[in-house]
Amino acid sequence: MQSITDIDLGTPQPKTDKTVRVVIDGRPIEVAEGSSVMRAAALAGTKVPRLCSTDSLDPFGSCRLCLVEIEGRRGYPASCTTPVEDGMQVRTQSDRLADLRRGVMELYISDHPLDCLTCPANGHCELQDMAGAVGLREVRYGYEGANHLDAQPDTSNPYFTFDPSKCIVCSRCVRACEETQGTFALTIDGRGFESHIAAGMNEPFMDSECVSCGACVQACPTATLMEKSVYAQGQPDRTVTTTCAYCGVGCSFKAEVKGNQVVRMVPNKDGQANHGHSCVKGRFAFGYTNHPDRITTPMIRKSIDDPWEEVSWERALGHAASEFKRIQETYGQGAVGGITSSRCTNEETYLVQKLIRAAFGNNNVDTCARVCHSPTGYGLKTTLGTSAGTQAFESVVDADVVMVIGANPTDGHPVFASQMKRRLRAGANLIVVDPRVIDLVRTPHIAADYHLKLRPGTNVAVINGLAHVIVTEGLANDAFANERCDPEEYAEWKEFVGQEKYSPENVERMSGVPADTIRQAARLFAKGPNSAIYYGLGVTEHSQGSTMVIGMANLAMATGNMGREGVGVSPLRGQNNVQGSCDMGSFPHELPGYRHLSDSVTREAFEKDWGVALDPEPGLRIPNMFDAALDGSFKGMYIQGEDFVQSDPNTRHIESAMRSMECVIVQDLFLNETAKFAHIFFPGSTFLEKDGTFTNAERRIQLVRKVMPPVAGMADWEITQAFSNALGYAMTYTHPSEIMDEIARLTPTFQGVSFEKIDRLGSVQWPCNEKMPEGTPTMHVGQFVRGKGKFVITEYVETDERSSRKFPLLLTTGRILTQYNVGAQTRRTPNLEWHTEDVLEIHPHDAEQRGIVHGTRVSIASRAGETVLTAHVTERMQPGVVYTTFHHPLCGTNVVTTENSDWATNCPEYKVTAVQVAPVTELSEWQEEHQQFSDRQEALLKQREAIKA
Ligand code: SF4
Ligand code: SF4
Ligand code: SF4
Ligand code: FES
């Protein structure tokens, strides 16, 4: 259903620079060649009546309401399907046209409920608008004939209803599902009067393939497909444009609000990352923001066995400051540290690292990127000179070959996946490198040309095998590599990958991927001409994560796939602002902008600006903080919006570390798993309650705008500022834009960034400076950021985590569409209906060998620990490999994962854990303990009410 703000020009903008001149109702106008007459008329200020067209979809020409007269042509062509021609003269209004349109509308209205006054779309319904536009006053056919008014609504989807009695069969929903989303869940079933919209095989929406992206709801001109929130709350009265706080795609939304309540989130057509599309999380799963579990008052307690006491902000901040001072006086300056949040804004993240460096006086700061994309930072900086992806999402439109490695975009980055699928349906080739049959391998109208179904842990062998074929068959782009990179290093690399050791046959032995598939995929990638690599945590979360990132950059440089549209190496980053949190200096060895602490010029610039001396020594990484806590030398931690007790590997180890600290401060929305070990709780704010910026996977900085006041009284940046002031280091910002001004002042890649500029341009992709004042969509054009691209040798080293007689299977982990990260937000929304628990996917052969039946409980045991999940027997898996997600605390996936990590960055090896799986009936020992601990913590939380009373 239409948004309250969008202007719809009827049909899409053609992609051309050529223009033609036409005359609409006597008014001359110049429009893009290929525009429809309807679009030209809309640009000339005339809205031709229409129902079946909308400018996000190709025209269909079914409603016959948009008829016009064209000089020199017979009849009344539909303006939505008629392209303009130079010199064309169009008339959109005449008595005859008015008659024809009224006739069409009479037919529609004669089979439509006349409940406008009580309809949730009243005032925002295109059918109602059109009845007014054509001047409909009576329906000559009456309302007594055959009709669909008794058709029953489908309310199965938790977020929207489908009321077929209001359907005008315009097929906008069907086309949205196909063209925009690429799921093909809807069809028009039946013929003539019997034709109707069918989900799946004429099933309820919830039972069909529908992924609840909302594109059909957005496209529907009537109240047939309608958000349940609009039924419940009525039409919104204002909108605020903001950015999704879930994944790294960074979709822009218009929050439609009534009072201080969000009625719905409407994807922003002008959003430069999402172009008006969304997924189920950003579109619908915002209910957690006012969930009763939200903690809205600061709390303190002496030990984690005590009940919480609600206190004023002043008392909580004062207590936190005195505890941290006490710890530093007793155990030393380095005994405290903090974690920035990749869910918070750039400004908030920047403030936390500033607090740690300037007020704590050490560099013990880290972020969740440690456990996801730190190898991306290391690998891309080493080879190309900058720690970020090379392309904008839009670049995929120009790709001829797309290689997806260790990523599952339809689940993890759904809106980008829809864009990628459009390109694939239009003819680009697809290579998937993944141990599992992800949806992209075979989805409606798309089939991967090659699926390299490798054994977990063998990425580097496979990338070397692909490079081997390209180099030994003379398919490399020597001219590009020799000109843009160091020729000597390139020659060494060619010799390295050309070794027999990395022949397809040998790589087949290492990885399980057939030699012929490696050869064919390599040839396809080299042929391009534009070949692009997209990758995810299936690349980085390995003991050789950084090596693999380097290997992909090597391959792209060797084939000349860098520095233009349609190519490049693009990480699909997980959390909404994980790029930003890394950019903002969240790592213990780097100041904002990825500048090493040992760089005295940079350090001095910060010292001067901040008015303090900075410790030149890098601080502790997250795993080192845990180790130091267990050693007794690290005693206090400030954690902003991060739940590592659930998300990080080897849960038992982390739990012990948490118990050994004296003051853990958690700033979050809920009593999450980490907060259960906290002594001080600062109630945080959601993305709807603050101003700031997020940076998505394309380096795109977008504004987050406050929709409502923070429910706990302070936005996260204000809490950090108040904590700093309580510690005695003054911070006096009055708005996050002032923090961004400071970031720009001190960080060359952000030099030209300001809130005003982002507001004006919609977004800015860094680097943004004097040379590129409006930002940089594509990196490394003409020259790599580091000067010459660097080829680095990527020797394959088998992980220590191997299957054995005791642990014969390899566990790999990932995520699913409807849940996000630790699930703290999405589990508090109806998204839970799609995913009530994490399950273990296992191949039928492995299941049969172990007597495992689909839907029954199995234990998964590794050398780190054991948990129990429900088994899903599926051929998605290859024999010898099992898979699960980590969205539910009790499922305890990370009890099983180990502390193995990337050699360069300590990024944990989540993707390879040797395990044994066996049928069981009871929960594991850890689960029993966890349940008891959790219940006890919930009870202690509840007691705060009693204390207050
Ligand atoms: S919600 Fe999305 S996936 Fe579901 S039917 Fe509508 S467009 Fe298709
Ligand atoms: S559900 Fe809406 S969009 Fe789909 S055919 Fe019916 S009226 Fe058109
Ligand atoms: S794709 Fe990512 S950014 Fe976009 S709506 Fe979904 S979760 Fe939000
Ligand atoms: S809008 Fe042109 S035929 Fe429906």
Side-chain angles (χ1 to χ4, degrees), residues 120-131:
N122 188 20
H124 300 274
C125 167
E126 293 182 44
L127 188 69
Q128 195 181 44
D129 294 348
M130 289 308 115

Side-chain angles (χ1 to χ4, degrees), residues 26 94 147 202 248 278 351 369 602 655 711 727 786 886 892 900 942:
S94 72
N147 59 47
N202 261 315
S278 60
L351 275 206
T602 304
E655 286 173 345
V711 295
L727 280 164
R786 71 182 301 281
F886 64 103
N900 277 6
K942 280 211 179 81

Side-chain angles (χ1 to χ4, degrees), residues 824-841:
Q825 293 142 289
T826 42
R827 280 186 282 106
R828 290 180 172 91
T829 71
N831 276 28
L832 206 52
E833 290 187 29
W834 283 279
H835 184 82
T836 49
E837 58 177 334
D838 297 309
V839 297
L840 187 83
E841 293 187 9

